[in-house]
Each structure stands twice: as structure tokens, then as C-alpha cells.
Amino acid sequence: MASQDLMTEGDNNLMTPSVGSLGHPEFCRRPCIFFAAGSCNNYISCGYCHCEHEKRVTHLDRRNRELLHSMAAPDRLELLLPLLEQRLESKGLREVAGELLQTLQEALQELRATSEQDRPEDSKEPAPKSQSSRVKSGVRKLPCISILGWAVRASPVYLSGLPGDSADDEDGLGGDQALKSPFSRATDQRVTDALNQLRAGMSTAILTDDVLRIMI
Ligand SMILES: [Zn+2]
Ligand SMILES: [Zn+2]
């Protein structure tokens, strides 16, 4: 029997993954600029994505970012959760992300319960319809990981303990209160665990055990 040549020319992505590529293309971290420029010295331990991205990641414009920042955490999560679900559905990831969605639903309920206790006479003003439909159409263009970031952290970054995440933190982003999770520590850990499980599940086919070990 002829041995199969696993690495064909189109398989560049498979030969050069990195920890940050886990979950590519919807749940990986942003593309590595060094790798794109030719070579990345961090190789497999790089916290950024070494897979090919079709086009530049879309970002929210300033108005939408400001609106999301101004919303109460439960309102923001409630607005964005269905959009994350739709995006997952359209990418064929609804099933594999079931655990993550379930965890987020429970986190939202927990958040609602505590925020009602804390502020019984809360004068929360939901965003006007026109504004929320504008933000929705912006969010629909984002990859899942960014929607998750906005939903939970009010930020395009979702810190989840990958090597690149802590690098971001050292760059000063960690001081930003916007990056703080509104959830309890335990709930936040469950969300992060579900995300990392999903990333690993999506990537086992292209990554070696070594990478998964680095991740864990
Ligand atoms: Zn990627
Ligand atoms: Zn890299």
C-alpha cells in the first residue's frame, strides 16, 4: 500500500499551527503579524493565530463600541448572546459550542438575579431600538470570539489564559476595567473552560498533543 502524503501544498496551515490558532477560524486569537511577515520565533507556542485568515478581522466602529460600553452587563450579554448563537449556527458550530452557549445562558440568569438583588429600583434604560439594530448589524460581521469578547468583557479581546492573553495583559490592557468579567469568579472560570474545551475540540485534528499540553 502506498503511504499517504499527509502534507500537500495546500496544507500549509496544518504544518504550522500555534497555540493561538486553536479554534481557527472563529475562535482563534488574532492573526500573528510576525508569521504573516514571514516567520514567527515563537513557533508553536505563539499565542496568535498562524493559520490563514481570508480577510482582516472586522472591528466595531466607535459608536457601536461606545454603546456596548454604556450598557449594563446583563443587557449587553442578553443582546449579544442570540447573535453569537446565530453566528455559530451559520458556521455549523452550533452543536460543538453547545456547552459554551449553555454556560453563557446560565451566567446571564445568574447576572440578572444578582443585579436585581443589588438594585431593586434600578433605572436601567435599554438602548433605543435604532441604536441596538445598528450595533447588531455591526456585531454580525464579527468572528465568534469577538462576539464573545464583547458579550462578556465589553471588549474585542476575551482573556482566557492562553499565552498571548497574558502578553496582552502585560501591555497594560489588564488594567482596563472594561476587560473585567461581570460574572463571579467561578462562573467566569466555567465560561473560560467551555471556551478552551471548544477550541481544543475544534483543533485536535490539526494540532499535536504537545500544543494541547501547553494550552492546559
Ligand atoms: Zn485563525
Ligand atoms: Zn506567531
Side-chain angles (χ1 to χ4, degrees), residues 86-212:
Q86 284 164 23
R87 174 87 182 189
L88 286 164
E89 188 88 56
S90 74
K91 299 288 171 186
L93 295 168
R94 174 67 182 76
E95 212 153 304
V96 72
E99 171 93 25
L100 177 67
L101 285 172
Q102 174 69 26
T103 310
L104 287 169
Q105 286 290 356
E106 287 165 19
L108 175 59
Q109 278 160 25
E110 190 184 285
L111 214 55
R112 280 259 173 257
T114 42
S115 68
E116 271 159 33
Q117 270 169 21
D118 290 353
R119 305 167 295 166
E121 300 300 323
D122 190 23
S123 57
K124 60 180 172 224
E125 292 169 43
K129 274 235 160 67
S130 60
Q131 282 191 41
S132 69
S133 70
R134 190 177 179 278
V135 85
K136 278 182 188 171
S137 73
V139 167
R140 282 198 183 95
K141 297 181 192 118
L142 301 176
C144 290
I145 190 64
S146 297
I147 304 180
L148 180 67
W150 280 107
V152 177
R153 306 267 196 258
S155 141
V157 181
Y158 185 91
L159 298 180
S160 60
L162 286 176
D165 288 345
S166 49
D168 275 352
D169 211 34
E170 278 158 21
D171 288 346
L173 276 171
D176 188 348
Q177 54 94 23
L179 289 178
K180 276 192 197 144
S181 167
F183 306 142
S184 69
R185 221 187 154 83
T187 303
D188 194 59
Q189 190 58 50
R190 279 175 52 218
V191 174
T192 298
D193 287 348
L195 170 64
N196 284 338
Q197 221 173 53
L198 170 63
R199 277 173 162 159
M202 285 173 68
S203 311
T204 39
I206 61 162
L207 293 172
T208 66
D209 286 343
D210 283 344
V211 181
L212 296 176

Side-chain angles (χ1 to χ4, degrees), residues 20-31 49-53:
S21 312
L22 284 168
H24 177 83
E26 286 293 314
F27 283 96
C28 54
R29 301 202 66 246
R30 63 173 176 268
C49 186
H50 283 189
C51 295
E52 208 172 301
H53 280 253

